[in-house]
Amino acid sequence: MKRAREPLTKLIYTLLAVLPAAALALPIVLTLTNSLMTEREIGSNYDWLGKMGDVAKGQQDAFVNLKLLPDWLSFGQYAQLLLRAPVYLHQFWNSVGLSAPIVAGQTAVAALAAYAFAKLKFKGRDKLFLVYLMAMLMPFQVTLVPNYLIAGKLGLLNSWAAIIGPGIFGAFGVFMLRQFMAHIPAAYAEAARMDGAGHGVIFRRIVLPLAKPGLAALIVLLFADQWNMVEQPLIFLEDAFKQPLSVELSRINEQARGVGFAASVLYMIPMALLFLYAEAYLVQGIEQSGIKG
Amino acid sequence: MEAETTGRRLAARQRTIRIAAGLFVAMLIVFTLIGNSLQALTLPKVSAEKPSQGRLSRSFHGSAVLSPAETADLTNPAGWKVAQVLVKPGDAVHRGQQLVSYDDTEAQRQIEDETAALEQLELPKPQLQHRYVDAVQSGDEEAILDARTALESADASIRAQQNRIERLRHDASADRQLVAPFDGIVTEVHAVAGLSAATGGPDVRLADAASGFQFRLQIPAAIADTLKPGDAMDVRLTEDDSRSLKGTVAKIEDGDAADATAPSRSADDGAGDMASSESGSGAANSGSSSETGSLPVTVTIKDPSLRGGERVEVELSRQESKDALLVSAQAIHQDRSGVYVYAIEKRQSPLGNAYYAARRDVTVIDENGGVAAVGGDLYDYDQVVLDSSEPLQDGVRVRL
C-alpha cells in the first residue's frame, strides 16, 4: 500500500512545498524582471493602481497586470542606476557604511558578553541577563525617544554615529550567542584550563571556533536587519546624502519606478551573497547542535 | 567520506561565492567612480563673478554748434532799395556803425515835391498880407477879420508843410542807412545791392556780443536731472583742445515740448514711456529719472574769442550718491514673474563640492552701460552667474 501511494504522496508534498515557495518567490522574480523593462512598460502595467473605479457605479474597472516577462528587454534602468544617477550608488555605499560597522561591532561585543554570560560565574549574572532579555524584547520604538535625546545631547544627531553606536551594543547578539555557547560542553574549557590556558585563550581557541555557526547565524540576521533599516536613518539623519539606499527605496514614487526596481535588485545581491556564503555554516551549526556531551 | 566530499564541495562553493562577491564589489566601485565623472561632464558650465560694492557712474559726451544767444533782425522799414552793403557775415561791429546804406532817391524826390508844394503855398502870402494892410487901412472890422484869418490859415498851411518836409528829411536821413543798435557780430546778410527789401530774411542779422553764444544738447535724463539753470559746465572747443571755457546752463526743457513730432502725452500715458523714449524726446513724465530719454539743455557761453558757428564738446559725468551692489547687466534676467539673477550656492558633501544655481529676485535700481546697480536678495559674498553653456533653472547643479 505504501509503495502505491508513494508517487502520489510525493506529488502532494511537492506541491505543498512548491506552491507557497512560488508565491513567496514571486515578488523577487517580479523585481528582477521589472528591472529589465522600460519605464513606459512598467507604467502601462501599474498605472492603474489606485485608479480602479467601482464597476457598480459605472466607473472603469481595471486589473493590474503583473507581467513576468518583459515585452522588450532593456538594460536602460541599470544604465540609469549605475552610470547616469550616481546618487543611488552613493546611497548604496552609505548602507554599507552603516551596516558593516554595526554587524562587525555587535558580533564582537556580543561574543565577548555571551562568553561571560555562558561560561563565567559571577554574582548577579542571571539578573543582569534578565535585564538584557527585557531590553531585547522591547520594541525599538520604545527606546527611540531616549535614544534621540541622548544623541542630541552628545551632539551626534545627523551623523552615522547616532545609528552605529546603539547598534553595536544591541542585546540580541548577546542573547543568541549565549544560547549557543551554553551548548558547548564545559569539558572543553576545563580540559584547556588544566593545560594552563587562561580565559582569553579559551575564548579564542576553543569557544569561538565552536560557536562559528552561531556567529554565522548572528551575522546573517544582523545584516538582514540593519541592511533594511529605514526608521533610524529617517529620524537621526537629516542630510539626504547620508541616507542609506533602503530609505530611498522606501520612497519610490511614480517618477523613479524603473530605477527603483533596478536599485532593489542591486540591494538584494549583497544579502543573497552573504546568505549563500553563511549557509554552509548554518547548516553545519544545525547539524552540530544536535550533538551534546 | 561523505563528509569530506561535502566539505570539499562546500569549500568550492564558498570560494565561488567569495569570488562573486569580490566581483560585485569591484563592479560597484567602478560604476560609482564612472558615474560621478559622467554626471559632472553633463552639468552646465557657468562663469561667475562677485558683485562689487560701489557707485554707479554715468558719463555723457556730446557736441554741438555755437549759435548766438541773442540776435536782432534788422531791416529797413521803408523798404528802399539797397545802395551799398557795408558788412559781411562774421564782421564785428560796434554800436552805431553803419551796416547798409540805402538808396534814398525816392525820398529825395518826395522832399522835392513837398518843397515845391511849400513854395506854392508861400506864393499867395504877399497878396494876403497886402489885403490885410488894406483892410486895416479901410477900418472894416469884418474885412480885417477876414484878411487876418486868411493870412493865418496860409501861415498855418505853410508851417504844416514845413513840418512835413522836416519830417521827411529827418526820416530820409535816418532811413538812409542801417545802423547797428549794439555791439555784435554780423551773422547773416540778406541785403543785396540793387534790390529792395531783401528776400528770405532780414537785411542784416546781428548777434549781440554782450549776451554771448549758446548751444543745445540732448543730455540723458539721469544726468540732466542733476543740472539746474545757473550751473557751470566745462566746454571745450573741438578744434582747439587746449582751452576750456566755462558755460552756464540756461534752460532745461521737458523732452516732449521740444519735439514737435512726439506723440501726444495725454493720449497714451501708460505706453507713453516706451513710445517717447523710442522717438527720443525724453521722459514722458517729469520726475521719472530712470527713463532712457534725454532732455534738451541750453547752455550759454561768453568769450570774446568766440565767433559763432564753432563746434564745442561737453563731457559730463555723474556718480550716484550711494553705494550699491554692482553687477554686470549680462547677469540680470527677466521673465514673467520678475527680474532675477542666478547666484551660486555651494553644498559640501563627501563626494566633493556641489554647486547649485539659485534664483534670487532683485530689483534694478539703476543701469548704465553694462553695469547695473541692484538691490534685493543679493549679498556681496554671493557669486553671480554671468553666462552659462545651457539655460539655467532654479536649483540646477552647475559646474564652475
Side-chain angles (χ1 to χ4, degrees):
Chain A
M1 274 313 260
K2 272 189 196 166
R3 279 191 194 274
R5 263 200 303 178
E6 254 189 50
L8 190 63
T9 334
K10 233 178 157 182
L11 182 67
I12 291 173
Y13 285 148
T14 314
L15 276 177
L16 270 177
V18 164
L19 285 175
L24 287 172
L26 184 66
I28 298 178
V29 172
L30 263 179
T31 309
L32 268 168
T33 49
N34 277 12
S35 70
L36 296 169
M37 289 185 199
T38 55
E39 181 75 36
R40 206 165 40 169
E41 201 182 326
I42 296 175
S44 73
N45 292 338
Y46 298 126
D47 271 341
W48 278 109
L49 270 175
K51 294 187 195 144
M52 297 173 283
D54 194 356
V55 180
K57 288 189 194 160
Q59 291 167 342
Q60 183 140 18
D61 188 19
F63 287 96
V64 171
N65 192 8
L66 292 179
K67 272 169 109 170
L68 283 179
L69 285 178
D71 284 335
W72 177 255
L73 186 71
S74 95
F75 292 99
Q77 311 293 355
Y78 286 101
Q80 173 82 4
L81 172 77
L82 295 172
L83 292 173
R84 284 204 284 265
V87 63
Y88 290 103
L89 285 179
H90 177 56
Q91 284 171 333
F92 180 87
W93 294 118
N94 282 357
S95 291
V96 172
L98 274 176
S99 310
I102 294 180
V103 170
Q106 194 172 102
T107 312
V109 170
L112 289 166
Y115 176 72
F117 277 119
K119 296 296 172 206
L120 305 177
K121 285 180 177 55
F122 52 89
K123 197 167 158 190
R125 183 186 74 172
D126 291 325
K127 284 202 182 55
L128 193 59
F129 192 68
L130 210 60
V131 170
Y132 264 77
L133 199 62
M134 284 198 295
M136 192 192 80
L137 289 174
M138 268 197 289
F140 143 79
Q141 285 81 359
V142 171
T143 54
L144 180 60
V145 175
N147 263 344
Y148 187 83
L149 292 173
I150 293 173
K153 287 260 160 48
L154 289 173
L156 294 175
L157 278 181
N158 199 27
S159 82
W160 284 354
I163 300 175
I164 296 175
I168 291 181
F169 298 102
F172 172 67
V174 176
F175 175 74
M176 209 180 115
L177 285 180
R178 182 214 177 255
Q179 296 304 98
F180 235 96
M181 287 183 186
H183 284 303
I184 296 172
Y188 291 125
E190 274 169 24
R193 208 168 292 128
M194 276 200 287
D195 283 338
H199 280 301
V201 176
I202 297 177
F203 177 69
R204 261 190 307 119
R205 294 274 171 84
I206 297 173
V207 174
L208 264 190
L210 284 175
K212 260 199 197 142
L215 288 174
L218 178 66
I219 288 177
V220 169
L221 288 171
L222 273 182
F223 190 75
D225 195 21
Q226 302 302 326
W227 191 241
N228 297 314
M229 71 164 130
V230 171
E231 303 128 329
Q232 282 151 303
L234 275 180
I235 289 166
F236 289 105
L237 299 176
E238 267 174 36
D239 295 334
F241 64 83
K242 289 185 186 160
Q243 302 281 9
L245 190 52
S246 48
V247 170
E248 183 67 30
L249 289 176
S250 73
R251 286 206 208 128
I252 285 292
N253 53 9
E254 287 199 7
Q255 270 79 41
R257 267 187 306 223
V259 182
F261 279 119
S264 303
V265 170
L266 191 76
Y267 212 54
M268 283 194 289
I269 291 177
M271 195 65 236
L273 285 173
L274 183 68
F275 177 74
L276 288 173
Y277 191 77
E279 190 196 3
Y281 290 107
L282 286 173
V283 168
Q284 202 179 45
I286 292 169
E287 284 175 356
Q288 277 182 0
S289 65
I291 302 168
K292 273 208 166 158
Chain B
M1 229 20 182
E2 215 179 272
E4 226 178 76
T5 38
T6 5
R8 222 176 303 139
R9 252 207 328 241
L10 217 56
R13 199 178 84 158
Q14 291 206 317
R15 205 181 60 233
T16 330
I17 294 174
R18 259 201 289 256
I19 294 172
L23 279 176
F24 176 70
V25 170
M27 178 200 79
L28 276 186
I29 292 176
V30 165
F31 276 123
T32 310
L33 295 173
I34 294 179
N36 267 336
S37 318
L38 272 183
Q39 194 192 49
L41 279 178
T42 57
L43 295 175
K45 183 140 176 59
V46 300
S47 59
E49 66 162 7
K50 265 181 127 48
S52 61
Q53 197 74 343
R55 295 165 188 212
L56 199 63
S57 74
R58 331 168 144 269
S59 66
F60 165 77
H61 183 100
S63 71
V65 174
L66 284 181
S67 62
E70 254 180 57
T71 58
D73 292 347
L74 305 171
T75 332
N76 190 327
W80 292 344
K81 266 204 289 202
V82 176
Q84 197 185 14
V85 179
L86 298 162
V87 291
K88 56 184 189 304
D91 282 351
V93 298
H94 54 80
R95 188 186 172 136
Q97 184 175 335
Q98 199 179 11
L99 304 173
V100 180
S101 69
Y102 295 94
D103 184 8
D104 59 357
T105 41
E106 204 180 298
Q108 294 300 332
R109 245 179 246 132
Q110 202 175 2
I111 290 176
E112 276 171 20
D113 285 345
E114 297 296 328
T115 313
L118 178 69
E119 279 172 13
Q120 205 173 359
L121 284 176
E122 284 177 346
L123 275 176
K125 204 163 158 197
Q127 202 178 354
L128 291 173
Q129 279 177 329
H130 205 58
R131 201 189 295 169
Y132 180 63
V133 169
D134 277 346
V136 166
Q137 278 180 344
S138 71
D140 191 351
E141 288 296 327
E142 213 176 287
I144 292 172
L145 201 64
D146 209 8
R148 198 163 56 207
T149 313
L151 196 61
E152 280 173 3
S153 109
D155 274 340
S157 307
I158 288 169
R159 267 201 306 277
Q161 187 66 7
Q162 278 174 340
N163 280 344
R164 196 178 301 134
I165 291 174
E166 228 10 79
R167 217 172 27 243
L168 280 176
R169 277 222 183 95
H170 183 79
D171 279 350
S173 73
D175 285 347
R176 194 180 303 130
Q177 58 197 16
L178 195 60
V179 161
F182 46 71
D183 288 348
I185 300 175
V186 176
T187 53
E188 283 170 41
V189 173
H190 292 283
V192 177
L195 287 180
S196 73
T199 51
D203 283 350
V204 172
R205 185 172 276 157
L206 198 62
D208 190 349
S211 63
F213 294 93
Q214 67 180 19
F215 58 91
R216 222 147 160 259
L217 287 172
Q218 293 272 58
I219 298 183
I223 299 184
D225 277 348
T226 59
L227 301 170
K228 57 183 191 303
D231 279 351
M233 196 187 286
D234 279 325
V235 180
R236 254 192 9 254
L237 287 171
T238 311
E239 283 93 32
D240 184 6
D241 251 348
S242 59
R243 287 196 311 150
S244 140
L245 310 165
K246 272 260 180 294
T248 320
V249 176
K251 197 167 46 162
I252 303 175
E253 292 155 42
D254 249 353
D256 277 353
D259 196 335
T261 62
S264 73
R265 218 192 288 188
S266 57
D268 47 348
D269 230 339
D273 292 359
M274 282 291 212
S276 61
S277 60
E278 270 167 32
S279 66
S281 62
N285 300 313
S286 62
S288 55
S289 59
S290 56
E291 295 291 342
T292 53
S294 49
L295 304 177
V297 174
T298 314
V299 177
T300 54
I301 182 167
K302 287 193 187 100
D303 192 280
S305 64
L306 294 175
R307 281 273 163 279
E310 290 105 332
R311 186 156 270 273
V312 293
E313 285 172 356
V314 165
E315 235 177 73
L316 295 174
S317 70
R318 180 194 112 159
Q319 268 201 334
E320 295 289 322
S321 56
K322 17 186 224 299
D323 269 351
L325 273 183
L326 303 175
V327 297
S328 303
Q330 198 188 3
I332 300 180
H333 308 282
Q334 186 174 27
D335 71 351
R336 234 181 5 193
S337 43
V339 179
Y340 60 93
V341 297
Y342 283 114
I344 294 189
E345 280 175 3
K346 191 163 81 164
R347 280 182 224 169
Q348 284 178 315
S349 75
L351 293 178
N353 288 341
Y355 299 98
Y356 292 85
R359 176 188 157 132
R360 303 276 182 86
D361 291 319
V362 293
T363 49
V364 177
I365 299 173
D366 214 349
E367 190 178 340
N368 174 40
V371 181
V374 296
D377 210 358
L378 199 64
Y379 306 94
D380 54 3
Y381 54 74
D382 281 323
Q383 280 197 307
V384 168
V385 170
L386 271 182
D387 202 5
S388 63
S389 63
E390 277 173 28
L392 289 180
Q393 277 180 319
D394 189 20
V396 144
R397 193 167 154 197
V398 295
R399 179 163 61 109
L400 273 186

